[in-house]
Amino acid sequence: MGNPRRSKAADDLHTAARSGDLTAVQSILASNPLAVNSRDKHSRTPLHLAAFSGQTEVVTYLCNHKADAGASAMDDMAAMHFASQKGHLEVVRALLSAGASLKAFTRKGMTSLHYAVQGSHLELVKYLAKKGANLGAQTKAGKTPLDLASNEEIRSFLEEFEKSAKNGELGKKDNDKDKDKAEEFDPKTSELGSEGDLNAEPPAAALDEENNARKKRKVNEDGARVESSQPKKARVKLSHLQSSDDTLEEENM
């Protein structure tokens, strides 16, 4: 047999959570802390019922007292799904702060965003999208949140948001490409190819300058060889051109 006292406490906690009776919730958990994650006949916890009813204070209190924010009821419905189904924005905020996931989906593949769109809860749709909900997530029937949008304002928002997200991603890719190109040239390493690598190939400009210098030296050397190979003119004595007066002058000196 089960523990009737524990069963009664669990039932009372579910009722208090659903109605938003925070005082009763606090009292029950003070004496029965394990009841925080107790289940009803539909496998729902007190947190599920509080989230469905939009009881933000109770949701916050339960999460702060070890309620499982990611627990699933029948059909894998989590507290986030219950809250999104009813458009309870503040409850969704509290659940996300407690660690609930935007990516969680039900047995039918429905996410929190699917439920918010289906229920035409515009502010919640905007919040979930900006928090990173997957706009392309598909249900088991292949439906995205946009496919479920019957509200024209929500449809327009989702289309514009998706377009902006794609443009932002393209802009990020372009910036990454520019950054990569800038990193290809480093003025500190341009002379050696890589910093501190003495064995690296010298730049093309340096090679051209060295080749030109070699050509000039070769031309000069070839010119010198041609000049040295030509026969030297014989020296002609000019003594016979000296005058007799010059000879006499030398003798008198």
Side-chain angles (χ1 to χ4, degrees):
M1 293 180 63
N3 187 334
R5 182 181 176 186
R6 181 178 178 182
S7 178
K8 177 70 165 58
D11 288 344
D12 290 346
L13 182 58
H14 280 78
T15 301
R18 186 167 193 165
S19 64
D21 189 345
L22 181 59
T23 302
V25 169
Q26 292 171 332
S27 176
I28 295 168
L29 288 180
S31 56
N32 297 277
L34 294 179
V36 69
N37 288 312
S38 58
R39 305 272 182 165
D40 65 9
K41 62 181 181 180
H42 299 294
S43 196
R44 296 173 301 190
T45 67
L47 184 61
H48 290 142
L49 298 177
F52 181 81
S53 301
Q55 309 297 347
T56 306
E57 287 187 344
V58 173
V59 166
T60 301
Y61 185 84
L62 291 172
C63 289
N64 289 337
H65 287 77
K66 300 184 179 181
D68 185 355
S72 297
M74 292 180 66
D75 294 329
D76 293 332
M77 289 281 290
M80 278 287 292
H81 300 129
F82 285 117
S84 298
Q85 193 176 43
K86 291 297 183 179
H88 299 313
L89 176 56
E90 293 307 316
V91 171
V92 168
R93 289 181 192 271
L95 290 170
L96 288 177
S97 296
S101 174
L102 283 173
K103 297 179 181 179
F105 55 87
T106 67
R107 192 170 298 175
K108 294 181 179 180
M110 295 280 285
T111 65
S112 298
L113 184 58
H114 280 100
Y115 280 115
V117 171
Q118 189 177 59
S120 297
H121 305 301
L122 177 60
E123 293 306 314
L124 180 55
V125 169
K126 290 180 178 180
Y127 176 76
L128 292 173
K130 291 174 182 177
K131 292 296 286 186
N134 184 3
L135 273 64
Q138 295 185 352
T139 65
K140 292 293 180 64
K143 302 292 185 180
T144 66
L146 183 59
D147 293 330
L148 301 181
S150 58
N151 181 293
E152 191 59 36
E153 194 171 0
I154 288 179
R155 175 177 290 277
S156 297
F157 169 78
L158 291 175
E159 290 174 343
E160 288 299 320
F161 190 88
E162 189 170 16
K163 187 185 299 182
S164 298
K166 288 181 179 179
N167 290 338
E169 184 64 25
L170 289 175
K172 181 178 181 299
K173 289 181 179 178
D174 290 340
N175 289 336
D176 290 342
K177 287 181 181 179
D178 292 340
K179 183 179 178 181
D180 291 340
K181 288 181 180 179
E183 289 176 349
E184 287 178 2
F185 176 78
D186 186 347
K188 293 181 180 179
T189 62
S190 60
E191 291 299 322
L192 293 175
S194 61
E195 187 173 358
D197 185 2
L198 298 178
N199 295 321
E201 291 292 333
L207 289 174
D208 291 342
E209 185 176 349
E210 185 177 350
N211 289 334
N212 290 335
R214 287 177 180 174
K215 289 179 181 179
K216 288 181 180 179
R217 286 198 298 271
K218 189 173 185 306
V219 170
N220 292 336
E221 290 173 357
D222 291 344
R225 290 195 191 97
V226 170
E227 184 177 348
S228 62
S229 63
Q230 293 179 354
K232 295 182 179 180
K233 295 181 180 180
R235 294 182 179 179
V236 179
K237 292 184 178 181
L238 301 178
S239 58
H240 65 284
L241 298 177
Q242 292 179 336
S243 63
S244 57
D245 293 337
D246 293 335
T247 304
L248 291 174
E249 186 177 349
E250 290 177 1
E251 291 177 352
N252 294 329
M253 288 180 65

